[in-house]
Amino acid sequence: TWQVEGNPGEGTTISGGLLTVYPDESASSLTIRATSVDNDLVSGVSTVDVTATEPNPFYQIVLDKTAHIFPAADEGYGAQEELTVGITSVSNQPTGTLTIDHAGEKDAFVLSKDNVESLAVGGTGSFTVKPAPGLSPGTYTATVTVSGDHDLSASLGVSFTVNPAAQPTVSGISVETQPATLAYTEGDTLDLTGLTAKITYSDRSEKTVGYTG
């Protein structure tokens, strides 16, 4: 049987002669005892020196979203809801300042900031993005990228569609002005000169039109 003697760290174990040293092990050396399974009076010990080593620097960030399609809106739309994007560092070193930029149809989207202060190990940050106001009908796309030193980079694709404004339909027609001639005898030609009518539309707008002959 195998045993690590003394006060090793909680995660330091030995099994089948294989010693696993916990990363946060505080002891500078470990005493390993092997005892015969046939005779527990027969045993031997060995001392293992524990040397701490610094891990190789590792840099990586992730976004909590990789793509987003904003709800479509009709031409003349109002303010659109912004999207909050979270950034998490999975690096084992501080990231340094991160830059936020977008490519593609970048004028179609508005970012809340263009940089994020350095994230600590396991640290988080965020920014928002939303469609720009006053866009013409069409579909707009862009790629938002968060980047930094040590080849740090993570991207998010966004898309937004503007539909043409719906055309109003006619909801009513009424006579505004009667034509000049209202009385006829048999054989007279119909004369609608002076006739005007008011057209009412589904959006409650109105237009007056006259007879043009």
Side-chain angles (χ1 to χ4, degrees):
T1 59
W2 298 86
Q3 181 181 3
V4 182
E5 297 184 335
N7 295 302
E10 182 177 347
T12 296
T13 60
I14 189 168
S15 176
L18 177 63
L19 175 66
T20 301
V21 179
Y22 186 64
D24 290 339
E25 178 61 63
S26 59
S28 60
S29 64
L30 299 171
T31 299
I32 309 301
R33 179 176 295 276
T35 302
S36 170
V37 294
D38 296 322
N39 186 347
D40 58 9
L41 296 178
V42 178
S43 65
V45 296
S46 178
T47 300
V48 177
D49 292 330
V50 179
T51 303
T53 58
E54 291 294 330
N56 293 327
F58 172 74
Y59 297 90
Q60 185 178 357
I61 55 173
V62 294
L63 305 182
D64 63 356
K65 302 171 184 67
T66 57
H68 182 75
I69 299 175
F70 288 95
D74 293 335
E75 185 178 11
Y77 59 89
Q80 297 296 294
E81 185 174 353
E82 61 187 16
L83 173 72
T84 299
V85 183
I87 313 168
T88 300
S89 170
V90 293
S91 309
N92 62 6
Q93 306 289 325
T95 63
T97 300
L98 300 173
T99 299
I100 306 172
D101 200 0
H102 50 334
E105 294 168 299
K106 58 186 300 180
D107 291 340
F109 300 91
V110 179
L111 297 173
S112 61
K113 60 180 71 172
D114 58 13
N115 68 80
V116 172
E117 293 183 0
S118 180
L119 300 182
V121 176
T124 61
S126 66
F127 64 94
T128 65
V129 56
K130 64 180 179 180
L135 296 174
S136 300
T139 297
Y140 301 84
T141 60
T143 300
V144 181
T145 300
V146 181
S147 60
D149 294 336
H150 311 289
D151 296 324
L152 282 172
S153 182
S155 296
L156 161 73
V158 291
S159 176
F160 178 57
T161 297
V162 180
N163 299 317
Q167 296 299 314
T169 58
V170 175
S171 60
I173 299 176
S174 60
V175 174
E176 286 277 279
T177 305
Q178 296 285 356
T181 302
L182 296 176
Y184 294 88
T185 58
E186 185 177 355
D188 288 346
T189 300
L190 178 66
D191 182 5
L192 298 179
T193 301
L195 173 65
T196 63
K198 181 174 70 175
I199 302 174
T200 303
Y201 294 93
S202 56
D203 63 356
R204 298 185 180 182
S205 63
E206 296 178 341
K207 181 172 68 174
T208 299
V209 296
Y211 175 71
T212 57

